[in-house]
């Protein structure tokens, strides 16, 4: 009797009855009593009742019957010709069942890697009002009242918080001049969270623009694409991306309300011209951020909001410097 192998449990190993029958055949071949007249060995009768192949044959019959019964499923059919009507129906069905992102959401996804938070720092003012504001912001964050503000060294405070947009992958950033004016130190925070010191490399006071150069940049920094405003029309969809009141990046959508507008600062010290008027919500902190179309291309730099009251909140009228003027501040008119 053979010993079964230890490394396999293959069903091909003959059952005991088969081995017994094989031994009987071998014994019969060795015995002259079982030989016929012609010397042919006659196998002994199968007393165990086991017949090789019977169960396998029965299983094969069952499988064949199943294939015949389900022929429409199992047998390959000729492929159906896809028509334009089928494609239109599939597209319509997808549009009815799938939730697609809005145009503003897709545009914001494109521009977001190029948007930065810009903070200007300066000496802390010792006025009672400044101290009260500092204590309030620290207490709101659960910090000691006299602790330095985020990103500020002892004795420094935030002088301006705004937004910028990367236009060259070497770390060249456009923002508003009033965001960084009077700051002794400027820090920018990129989309991936990297914080870096930046320096002013150019200004254009007549358009309230400043050009920054970050001292450290992400490895995969993506600059924004700029788009000419020559074909811009009132009613075109736009979106403003930035950090209103330091919160963001935030996105607000609207339309172009008008072109070639003028704006005078509340103090009356400066008047800006050739501005894009838009109605996408913008508030303090949006300054310096991009105004984009629905392809995520920069049309202008958000620079001001109309404030007929002292509340400094958005009432539906914002202004942006066209990108032609903004790019010229960086020394490279794009169009």
């Amino acid at each position: 009797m053979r010993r079964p192998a230890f490394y396999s449990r293959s069903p091909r190993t003959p059952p005991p009855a088969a081995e017994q029958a094989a031994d009987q055949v071998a014994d019969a071949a060795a015995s002259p009593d079982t030989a016929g007249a012609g010397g042919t060995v006659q196998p002994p009768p199968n007393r165990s009742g086991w017949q090789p192949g019977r169960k396998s044959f029965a299983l094969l019959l069952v499988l064949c019957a199943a294939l015949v019964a389900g022929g429409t499923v199992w047998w390959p059919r000729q492929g159906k010709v896809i028509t334009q009507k089928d494609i239109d129906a599939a597209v319509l069905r997808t549009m009815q069942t799938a939730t697609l992102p809005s145009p503003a959401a897709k545009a914001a996804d494109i521009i977001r890697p190029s948007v930065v938070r810009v903070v200007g720092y300066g000496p802390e003012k010792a006025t009672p009002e400044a101290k009260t504001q500092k204590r309030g912001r620290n207490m709101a964050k659960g910090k000691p009242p006299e602790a330095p503000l985020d990103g500020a060294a002892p004795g420094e405070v935030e002088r301006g918080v705004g937004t910028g947009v990367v236009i060259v992958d070497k770390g060249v950033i456009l923002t508003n001049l009033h965001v960084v004016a009077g700051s002794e130190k400027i820090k920018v925070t990129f989309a991936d969270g990297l914080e870096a010191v930046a320096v002013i490399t150019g200004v254009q006071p007549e358009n309230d623009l400043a050009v920054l150069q970050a001292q450290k940049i992400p490895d995969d920094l993506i600059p924004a694409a700029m788009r000419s405003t020559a074909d811009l029309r009132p009613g075109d969809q736009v979106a403003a991306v930035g950090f209103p009141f330091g919160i963001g990046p935030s996105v607000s959508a609207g339309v172009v309300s008008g072109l070639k507008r003028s704006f005078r600062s509340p103090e009356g010290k400066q008047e800006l011209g050739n501005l894009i008027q838009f109605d996408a919500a913008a508030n303090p902190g949006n300054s310096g951020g991009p105004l984009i179309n629905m392809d995520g291309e920069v049309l202008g730099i958000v620079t001001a909001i109309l404030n007929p009251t002292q509340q400094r909140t958005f009432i539906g009228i914002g202004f942006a410097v066209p990108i032609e003027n903004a790019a010229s501040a960086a020394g490279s008119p794009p169009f």
Side-chain angles (χ1 to χ4, degrees):
M1 184 73 72
R2 292 178 296 171
R3 298 177 59 187
F6 291 111
Y7 56 86
S8 174
R9 293 184 178 273
S10 172
R12 294 178 181 177
T13 301
E19 294 182 358
Q20 183 177 1
D23 292 340
Q24 291 176 353
V25 171
D27 294 341
S31 175
D33 297 338
T34 58
T40 304
V41 177
Q42 300 294 330
N46 189 356
R47 298 184 179 87
S48 63
W50 179 82
Q51 296 183 8
R54 173 175 294 181
K55 293 183 179 180
S56 300
F57 184 71
L59 179 59
L60 181 60
L61 288 178
V62 172
L63 290 176
C64 291
L67 288 174
V68 173
T72 56
V73 177
W74 290 96
W75 295 113
R77 296 177 298 174
Q78 184 178 2
K80 179 183 177 182
V81 178
I82 304 299
T83 65
Q84 186 62 43
K85 184 177 180 180
D86 297 327
I87 297 174
D88 294 341
V91 172
L92 180 61
R93 186 162 54 250
T94 301
M95 295 179 63
Q96 292 174 342
T97 57
T99 302
L100 302 178
S102 69
K106 291 189 290 186
D109 287 341
I110 295 172
I111 194 63
R112 189 171 287 114
S114 307
V115 178
V116 300
R117 186 175 187 263
V118 181
V119 181
Y121 297 95
E124 182 176 4
K125 296 179 180 179
T127 63
E129 181 181 2
K131 290 183 178 181
T132 300
Q133 292 176 350
K134 176 182 176 181
R135 292 192 188 99
R137 280 184 285 185
N138 280 338
M139 293 177 66
K141 296 180 179 180
K143 297 182 177 181
E146 300 302 326
L149 296 175
D150 291 341
E156 289 182 336
V157 294
E158 293 179 356
R159 300 293 297 274
V161 179
T163 308
V165 58
V166 178
I167 60 170
V168 181
D169 59 4
K170 294 181 180 180
V172 179
I173 300 168
L174 278 176
T175 187
N176 279 148
L177 180 58
H178 74 261
V179 172
V180 296
S183 300
E184 294 185 354
K185 182 170 64 176
I186 302 170
K187 286 188 177 181
V188 295
T189 304
F190 293 94
D192 65 351
L194 176 67
E195 187 177 84
V197 174
V199 296
I200 300 175
T201 59
V203 295
Q204 198 177 76
E206 64 272 20
N207 287 314
D208 189 25
L209 292 169
V211 182
L212 306 179
Q213 174 63 61
Q215 301 299 296
K216 184 170 56 176
I217 62 174
D219 294 333
D220 55 350
L221 184 60
I222 301 175
M226 295 177 283
R227 171 68 181 269
S228 171
T229 62
D231 59 350
L232 195 62
R233 297 290 182 269
D236 286 346
Q237 291 182 303
V238 292
V241 183
F243 293 83
F245 300 106
I247 303 171
S250 300
V251 181
S252 58
V255 298
V256 173
S257 302
L259 301 170
K260 300 185 182 301
R261 300 294 198 234
S262 297
F263 172 80
R264 181 176 292 275
S265 64
E267 298 81 8
K269 297 180 180 180
Q270 185 179 10
E271 182 174 353
L272 304 176
N274 191 33
L275 300 176
I276 303 169
Q277 179 189 338
F278 61 92
D279 71 348
N283 286 286
N286 275 108
S287 295
L291 183 73
I292 61 175
N293 60 15
M294 295 300 99
D295 292 324
E297 300 166 325
V298 181
L299 299 170
I301 301 298
V302 177
T303 191
I305 56 176
L306 188 61
N307 284 295
T309 68
Q310 299 299 318
Q311 301 302 316
R312 298 188 69 208
T313 55
F314 185 68
I315 62 170
I317 299 178
F319 300 101
V321 178
I323 193 59
E324 288 86 347
N325 295 4
S328 67
S332 56
F335 312 111

